[in-house]
Amino acid sequence: MGEKEAKKVETPAALEPAPPPPVATVSEKKTATPPSEDKVDDSKALAVVEKAPDSKEEKHPKEEKHSKGSADRDIVLARVEKEKTLSLIKAWEESEKAKAGNKADKKLSAIGSWENSKKASVEAQLRKVEEQYEKKKAGYAEKMKNKIAQVHKEAEEKRAMVEAKRGEDLLKAEEMAAKYRAKGIAPKKLLGCF
């Protein structure tokens, strides 16, 4: 039976001739096949480690070899299964981390575009308000200029009226002086001093 199991051994390096397996103790069996760094699908691989018969095993060496080979194979298969599970867990973990990172990046990008659109909207409102302010300011400035022009016009009219009144008063004074000279009499009111 041990020979049949030895023939069933399938490994990725089955093409290369392998040296006969060394004799291992129970403690060495656990470390006999260290996990390789290159992950290869070893789900169908079988490994047999033969053990030198002890004094207790001399009674039924074939039965012991068969049970030990099965146990070793089960240990190796369990180890391979565990490594496979761990690698799947690691791949899942990396995938979840990548998903979380991509999701966060997408949300950050969306937030950045939202921020930019809101900034642009607020800046457009600011420009609109500034334009309205400038229009109002220009309108108020025009009104103030018109008021200034109106006040200036009224002042000119008042000046003109005062100048006209002064001219009339001067003419009147000259006419009265001419009458007084012609009659040879003095005016009744004399400069208000006397």
Short mmCIF file of all heavy atoms in Angstrom, two decimals, residues 12 35-42 79-80 82-84 86-88 90:
data_model
loop_
_atom_site.label_atom_id
_atom_site.label_comp_id
_atom_site.label_asym_id
_atom_site.label_seq_id
_atom_site.Cartn_x
_atom_site.Cartn_y
_atom_site.Cartn_z
N PRO A 12 3.92 20.01 -8.04
CA PRO A 12 4.21 20.83 -9.19
C PRO A 12 5.57 20.51 -9.80
O PRO A 12 5.78 20.66 -10.99
CB PRO A 12 4.20 22.26 -8.66
CG PRO A 12 3.54 22.20 -7.33
CD PRO A 12 3.64 20.79 -6.87
N PRO A 35 5.35 26.02 3.59
CA PRO A 35 4.57 26.65 2.53
C PRO A 35 5.50 27.43 1.60
O PRO A 35 6.37 28.17 2.05
CB PRO A 35 3.61 27.58 3.26
CG PRO A 35 4.20 27.78 4.61
CD PRO A 35 5.04 26.57 4.90
N SER A 36 5.31 27.24 0.32
CA SER A 36 6.17 27.93 -0.64
C SER A 36 5.64 29.35 -0.85
O SER A 36 4.46 29.62 -0.67
CB SER A 36 6.19 27.16 -1.97
OG SER A 36 4.88 27.13 -2.50
N GLU A 37 6.53 30.25 -1.24
CA GLU A 37 6.16 31.63 -1.47
C GLU A 37 5.32 31.76 -2.74
O GLU A 37 4.43 32.56 -2.82
CB GLU A 37 7.41 32.51 -1.57
CG GLU A 37 8.19 32.63 -0.27
CD GLU A 37 7.34 33.24 0.83
OE1 GLU A 37 6.61 34.20 0.57
OE2 GLU A 37 7.41 32.73 1.96
N ASP A 38 5.64 30.98 -3.76
CA ASP A 38 4.86 31.00 -4.99
C ASP A 38 3.61 30.19 -4.75
O ASP A 38 3.67 29.00 -4.50
CB ASP A 38 5.66 30.41 -6.16
CG ASP A 38 6.92 31.20 -6.44
OD1 ASP A 38 6.90 32.41 -6.24
OD2 ASP A 38 7.88 30.58 -6.87
N LYS A 39 2.46 30.81 -4.85
CA LYS A 39 1.22 30.12 -4.59
C LYS A 39 0.87 29.28 -5.82
O LYS A 39 0.71 29.79 -6.92
CB LYS A 39 0.09 31.13 -4.31
CG LYS A 39 0.30 31.91 -3.04
CD LYS A 39 0.25 31.00 -1.86
CE LYS A 39 0.45 31.80 -0.58
NZ LYS A 39 0.53 31.00 0.57
N VAL A 40 0.75 28.00 -5.61
CA VAL A 40 0.38 27.06 -6.65
C VAL A 40 -0.82 26.30 -6.14
O VAL A 40 -0.92 26.00 -4.96
CB VAL A 40 1.56 26.09 -6.96
CG1 VAL A 40 1.18 25.11 -8.04
CG2 VAL A 40 2.79 26.88 -7.35
N ASP A 41 -1.74 26.00 -7.02
CA ASP A 41 -2.93 25.28 -6.60
C ASP A 41 -2.52 23.86 -6.21
O ASP A 41 -2.32 23.00 -7.06
CB ASP A 41 -3.97 25.26 -7.72
CG ASP A 41 -5.28 24.67 -7.26
OD1 ASP A 41 -5.47 24.58 -6.03
OD2 ASP A 41 -6.11 24.33 -8.12
N ASP A 42 -2.36 23.66 -4.92
CA ASP A 42 -1.94 22.36 -4.39
C ASP A 42 -3.12 21.59 -3.83
O ASP A 42 -2.97 20.72 -2.98
CB ASP A 42 -0.90 22.56 -3.26
CG ASP A 42 0.41 23.09 -3.79
OD1 ASP A 42 0.69 22.84 -4.98
OD2 ASP A 42 1.13 23.74 -3.02
N ARG A 79 -3.15 21.72 5.93
CA ARG A 79 -2.27 22.88 5.86
C ARG A 79 -2.50 23.62 4.53
O ARG A 79 -2.59 24.85 4.50
CB ARG A 79 -0.81 22.44 5.98
CG ARG A 79 0.14 23.65 6.02
CD ARG A 79 1.59 23.24 6.14
NE ARG A 79 1.81 22.46 7.34
CZ ARG A 79 2.57 21.36 7.39
NH1 ARG A 79 3.17 20.93 6.29
NH2 ARG A 79 2.73 20.70 8.51
N VAL A 80 -2.59 22.87 3.45
CA VAL A 80 -2.82 23.47 2.14
C VAL A 80 -4.17 24.18 2.12
O VAL A 80 -4.30 25.30 1.61
CB VAL A 80 -2.73 22.40 1.03
CG1 VAL A 80 -3.24 22.95 -0.29
CG2 VAL A 80 -1.29 21.94 0.88
N LYS A 82 -5.74 25.36 4.67
CA LYS A 82 -5.63 26.54 5.53
C LYS A 82 -4.93 27.68 4.78
O LYS A 82 -5.36 28.84 4.84
CB LYS A 82 -4.87 26.19 6.81
CG LYS A 82 -4.80 27.33 7.80
CD LYS A 82 -4.13 26.91 9.08
CE LYS A 82 -4.07 28.08 10.06
NZ LYS A 82 -3.42 27.70 11.30
N GLU A 83 -3.84 27.36 4.08
CA GLU A 83 -3.12 28.37 3.31
C GLU A 83 -4.00 28.95 2.22
O GLU A 83 -4.00 30.16 1.96
CB GLU A 83 -1.85 27.78 2.70
CG GLU A 83 -0.76 27.47 3.71
CD GLU A 83 0.43 26.75 3.09
OE1 GLU A 83 0.44 26.54 1.87
OE2 GLU A 83 1.34 26.40 3.85
N LYS A 84 -4.77 28.08 1.57
CA LYS A 84 -5.68 28.51 0.53
C LYS A 84 -6.72 29.46 1.12
O LYS A 84 -7.00 30.53 0.56
CB LYS A 84 -6.36 27.31 -0.10
CG LYS A 84 -7.27 27.63 -1.25
CD LYS A 84 -7.85 26.36 -1.83
CE LYS A 84 -8.83 26.65 -2.94
NZ LYS A 84 -9.45 25.44 -3.47
N LEU A 86 -6.43 31.23 3.89
CA LEU A 86 -5.76 32.48 4.28
C LEU A 86 -5.49 33.37 3.08
O LEU A 86 -5.64 34.59 3.14
CB LEU A 86 -4.47 32.17 5.04
CG LEU A 86 -4.65 31.56 6.44
CD1 LEU A 86 -3.29 31.21 7.03
CD2 LEU A 86 -5.39 32.52 7.35
N SER A 87 -5.09 32.75 1.97
CA SER A 87 -4.83 33.56 0.78
C SER A 87 -6.13 34.15 0.23
O SER A 87 -6.14 35.29 -0.24
CB SER A 87 -4.12 32.74 -0.31
OG SER A 87 -4.97 31.72 -0.79
N LEU A 88 -7.21 33.39 0.29
CA LEU A 88 -8.50 33.92 -0.14
C LEU A 88 -8.94 35.07 0.77
O LEU A 88 -9.46 36.09 0.30
CB LEU A 88 -9.57 32.82 -0.14
CG LEU A 88 -9.44 31.78 -1.25
CD1 LEU A 88 -10.47 30.67 -1.06
CD2 LEU A 88 -9.60 32.42 -2.61
N LYS A 90 -6.96 37.01 2.49
CA LYS A 90 -6.08 38.14 2.21
C LYS A 90 -6.51 38.85 0.92
O LYS A 90 -6.57 40.08 0.87
CB LYS A 90 -4.63 37.67 2.09
CG LYS A 90 -3.64 38.80 1.93
CD LYS A 90 -2.24 38.30 1.94
CE LYS A 90 -1.25 39.45 1.80
NZ LYS A 90 0.12 39.01 1.78
#
